[in-house]
Amino acid sequence: MSRPRIVIVGAGFAGYRTARTLSRLTRHQADITLLNPTDYFLYLPLLPQVAAGILEPRRVSVSLSGTLPHVRLVLGEADGIDLDGHTVHCTGPEGEEGTLPFDRLVLAAGSVNKLLPVPGVAEHAHGFRGLPEALYLRDHVTRQVELAAAAKDRAECAARCTFVVVGAGYTGTEVAAHGAMYTDAQVRRHPMRTGMRPRWMLLDVAPRVLPEMDERLSRTAERVLRQRGVDVRMGTSVKEATHDGVLLTDGSTVDTRTLVWCVGVRPDPLVESLGLPLEGGRLLVDSHLSVPGRPEVFACGDVAAVPDLNQPGQYTPMTAQHAWRHGKVCAQNVAASLGVGRRRAYRHRDMGFVVDLGGAKAAANPLGLPMSGPAAGAVTRGYHLAAMPGNRVRVAADWLLDAVLPRQAVQLGLVRSWSVPLESASPEVARVPGRPERARRAGTGTGERDAVDPDAERAGEERSEEQPAGGPSQGRPDGAAAKGRPDGKPAKNGPGGRPAMGRPSGEPAKNQPGGEPARNQRQPGGEPAKNQPHAESREEQPHGSRSGSSRASGTPRRAAERAGPPARGTRKPRKTSGTSGATRSAKPAAPSGPTRSAHGPADPGPEPPADQPPPGPDIAPGPVKRTDGRAAEGDS
């Protein structure tokens, strides 16, 4: 007789605990398969410390194969589930498709960033749910402070040193607290002019910080934030986001290049395709975490609406504390359905909460006892060490080194802006060219998981981060908030080597290293970048005119899509005029010099003054207005 097959979807707090407990309970009497897009379990509560440079990324990443020796790990994402056929459809990291048969199914897919209908947020904000987003934020904040010191425009300097965090829950509060300490440390080591200091803002429509916690802990957290210079604005949120800043609900405008979206999470959309009863987007289960009418299907964590037996009529909140305990009970009930042990209902009493505010500061209420200051910091870090399923010694060592050594404020550039879009259904995986989007299958039909592929959209929006303030905007000639297309419509092409739709001419991106789109990077002197590998320079042009590079084509957009991108290292034939169907004309090619790109330089426009400004203006940043009339530049 074959052994029963158990498939667990997701390796978050709930999925990881389920797999580990099931491996111990079944004792090789069942085949356990864990489907997850990454090969690690991410300890989310310490993610703000990764963004602040306290912990290295691998410290909060616990190896699945190393800690679950009797569990088969399958790398991939679930596209859909056939409940009647007892199969899970999945797509691997390289686009390969497959199916996983099951006798018992555990859904623990977790949650994704919660979006609100706020104009511009999806295009210009970034979430904080996965390791790629934390790495991107660390690089981005470091880069903005460095560029602010070299900015010649005072308004530009202020905008780069203003960081806006939306959402004053656990994540947003910790991000603002750690971020303020991180940027202040950068400025202390490399002082700018008098009065210059990075500015952090924390916004929320709630009446107080940390509304989920006891009011005394909220006051403690807000006091620490204000002591560090964080501008805490309760009852205020973002009304509109643009390239250059945000418009707040109180009518004020804040110029900024950084918008961190921490307003909350929503269940993974996978459960919506099952056709089963939902509660607030979560799958309804009974107190034993079993799906009614489907005894072979269990759900736990953020995708499950678990009845709270301590508060009848309510459901357990979407917190890591509950998800971790869901996993243990779910594993026991799955084993009981196979004849091992007895079923038990989920009942949990909160043991308290901890919020790490950086340094020796924290807010905690273990066993209902409110604490603050160094004592709360010790309790918070002790709790995290005890709760982590691995890497405890490495985490403690990093904390010790951070206490005695300065942090390394360097940007690695491993994660780009378009790799971590806010609307991503998989925040734990950075978008890379060549990996297709996963689709959802409801029963036997298929449905798009994401109707829009942000890779191609953001390819045209990626702005030059290496140029000083005051340089021309890249890829946005008309200054509109469209997603990389002149008509404002989203691009629909995928990242797998297909042409990017974010260019005004509709032509594919030219073999950028790492799959990035071609763009006109300028050096600090204002001239186009030289000797860029396999790249073409692009000029700033008015809306409705063709690019002024030596390559100009009137090929329609659809033809360019069918043609696909040119092979790496090849050069397209130069054309001097468009086809009969083109409505725009091209400028004549400029003669290429020995130090220019392969296709000749783009018209750089008027040369800036030869003399460079002193490093950093002597003003304090704030909600100032731009005076140079320049369009967007830099990552949102």
Side-chain angles (χ1 to χ4, degrees):
M1 181 178 179
S2 61
R3 295 187 298 182
R5 299 162 299 184
I6 304 173
V7 174
I8 305 172
V9 179
F13 279 89
Y16 180 86
R17 186 80 183 275
T18 300
R20 193 173 72 169
T21 307
L22 268 175
S23 177
R24 176 177 55 85
L25 293 177
T26 57
R27 299 180 182 274
H28 307 288
Q29 299 178 17
D31 292 330
I32 305 173
T33 300
L34 179 60
L35 176 64
N36 197 59
T38 63
D39 63 348
Y40 59 83
F41 158 73
L42 178 63
Y43 190 76
L44 271 171
L46 294 181
L47 203 58
Q49 297 192 24
V50 174
I54 300 175
L55 297 177
E56 291 301 313
R58 291 185 180 179
R59 304 297 184 257
V60 299
S61 309
V62 180
S63 171
L64 296 178
S65 57
T67 56
L68 302 174
H70 304 300
V71 176
R72 175 194 173 204
L73 173 63
V74 175
L75 290 179
E77 300 179 75
D79 297 332
I81 299 173
D82 186 355
L83 297 178
D84 296 329
H86 284 206
T87 56
V88 176
H89 302 271
C90 59
T91 301
E94 297 182 353
E96 65 277 13
E97 296 186 355
T99 57
L100 298 174
F102 65 84
D103 297 306
R104 298 292 185 274
L105 175 65
V106 178
L107 295 174
S111 55
V112 298
N113 293 311
K114 182 180 180 181
L115 292 177
L116 297 178
V118 179
V121 165
E123 295 84 0
H124 308 297
H126 291 279
F128 202 81
R129 288 290 301 165
L131 199 56
E133 293 173 321
L135 293 177
Y136 167 75
L137 182 61
R138 177 177 174 178
D139 275 5
H140 177 75
V141 171
T142 304
R143 180 166 55 247
Q144 296 308 310
V145 174
E146 292 172 348
L147 291 177
K152 62 181 179 180
D153 182 72
R154 296 187 176 185
E156 183 80 10
C157 179
R160 288 192 180 278
C161 282
T162 300
F163 308 94
V164 179
V165 181
V166 184
Y170 297 102
T171 302
T173 300
E174 291 184 346
V175 168
H178 283 280
M181 290 188 63
Y182 180 62
T183 53
D184 285 346
Q186 282 186 269
V187 174
R188 280 197 302 269
R189 288 196 298 271
H190 304 285
M192 299 183 189
R193 293 187 177 273
T194 304
M196 181 64 187
R197 182 182 179 184
R199 176 193 185 196
W200 284 79
M201 298 182 64
L202 181 62
L203 313 176
D204 203 311
V205 295
R208 58 186 175 91
V209 176
L210 298 172
E212 309 92 343
M213 298 184 66
D214 183 84
E215 189 172 352
R216 289 171 292 185
L217 300 183
S218 298
R219 290 197 299 266
T220 298
E222 184 172 350
R223 182 177 67 252
V224 172
L225 291 173
R226 294 190 183 278
Q227 287 174 352
R228 292 180 182 167
V230 179
D231 185 0
V232 181
R233 298 190 185 185
M234 294 293 99
T236 306
S237 188
V238 173
K239 185 177 182 181
E240 182 181 0
T242 64
H243 289 290
D244 297 328
V246 292
L247 174 63
L248 305 184
T249 54
D250 60 5
S252 61
T253 301
V254 178
D255 287 349
T256 180
R257 298 297 174 82
T258 307
L259 180 59
V260 187
W261 194 253
C262 303
V263 298
V265 295
R266 60 187 176 94
D268 192 291
L270 172 66
V271 297
E272 299 176 359
S273 65
L274 300 179
L276 298 174
L278 302 176
E279 174 62 35
R282 294 193 285 174
L283 194 62
L284 275 174
V285 297
D286 56 24
S287 59
H288 298 90
L289 282 74
S290 176
V291 177
R294 293 283 182 175
E296 75 282 4
V297 180
F298 297 80
C300 53
D302 290 350
V303 298
V306 182
D308 191 342
L309 299 183
N310 294 326
Q311 303 181 42
Q314 298 187 21
Y315 300 95
T316 58
M318 298 168 62
T319 63
Q321 189 176 131
H322 280 285
W324 186 251
R325 290 161 175 79
H326 283 177
K328 181 179 180 180
V329 175
C330 183
Q332 293 173 340
N333 292 335
V334 171
S337 69
L338 300 175
V340 180
R342 298 184 304 171
R343 297 177 67 197
R344 55 170 293 192
Y346 177 76
R347 186 185 297 271
H348 169 69
R349 182 174 66 89
D350 288 334
M351 304 299 292
F353 301 93
V354 294
V355 179
D356 185 10
L357 300 175
K361 302 295 182 66
N365 61 345
L367 301 177
L369 177 64
M371 301 178 65
S372 61
V379 169
T380 299
R381 296 201 168 185
Y383 168 79
H384 287 317
L385 283 181
M388 286 196 68
N391 296 344
R392 295 188 181 95
V393 175
R394 291 184 172 90
V395 170
D398 274 5
W399 284 341
L400 178 61
L401 291 176
D402 181 70
V404 298
L405 296 176
R407 300 180 194 175
Q408 294 178 299
V410 295
Q411 47 172 322
L412 301 179
L414 300 178
V415 182
R416 305 299 296 174
S417 173
W418 56 269
S419 299
V420 284
L422 181 63
E423 65 269 25
S424 173
S426 302
E428 67 276 8
V429 179
R431 298 287 179 85
V432 296
R435 186 180 66 244
E437 291 300 296
R438 59 172 168 171
R440 287 295 186 206
R441 293 183 178 89
T444 58
T446 60
E448 287 291 326
R449 172 67 183 265
D450 288 282
V452 177
D453 175 24
D455 285 343
E457 298 172 15
R458 295 182 179 268
E461 293 184 31
E462 185 67 25
R463 289 152 285 176
S464 174
E465 297 289 357
E466 292 78 15
Q467 67 177 17
S473 62
Q474 310 298 331
R476 185 74 61 177
D478 55 352
K483 291 185 174 184
R485 287 181 61 173
D487 56 2
K489 297 181 180 179
K492 297 182 180 179
N493 56 302
R498 287 176 282 178
M501 299 292 288
R503 305 184 63 175
S505 61
E507 297 174 356
K510 292 288 292 181
N511 298 325
Q512 291 292 322
E516 294 184 10
R519 49 192 170 95
N520 182 17
Q521 294 183 338
R522 293 182 179 268
Q523 301 300 326
E527 295 186 359
K530 301 180 180 181
N531 300 327
Q532 295 293 330
H534 309 293
E536 290 184 300
S537 301
R538 296 175 56 194
E539 70 167 346
E540 186 178 11
Q541 58 182 355
H543 185 67
S545 63
R546 178 72 64 175
S547 173
S549 65
S550 60
R551 174 178 57 87
S553 172
T555 306
R557 184 184 302 274
R558 296 301 180 187
E561 290 183 32
R562 290 192 296 270
R568 179 175 295 275
T570 62
R571 180 185 302 178
K572 289 187 61 178
R574 299 187 179 181
K575 299 182 180 180
T576 58
S577 62
T579 61
S580 59
T583 58
R584 309 170 199 172
S585 61
K587 296 181 181 179
S592 58
T595 60
R596 298 294 184 179
S597 60
H599 295 280
D603 182 11
E607 289 291 331
D611 54 334
Q612 295 297 320
D618 52 351
I619 63 167
V624 294
K625 297 297 295 181
R626 299 180 60 86
T627 59
D628 55 359
R630 193 173 60 81
E633 188 273 337
D635 286 322
S636 316

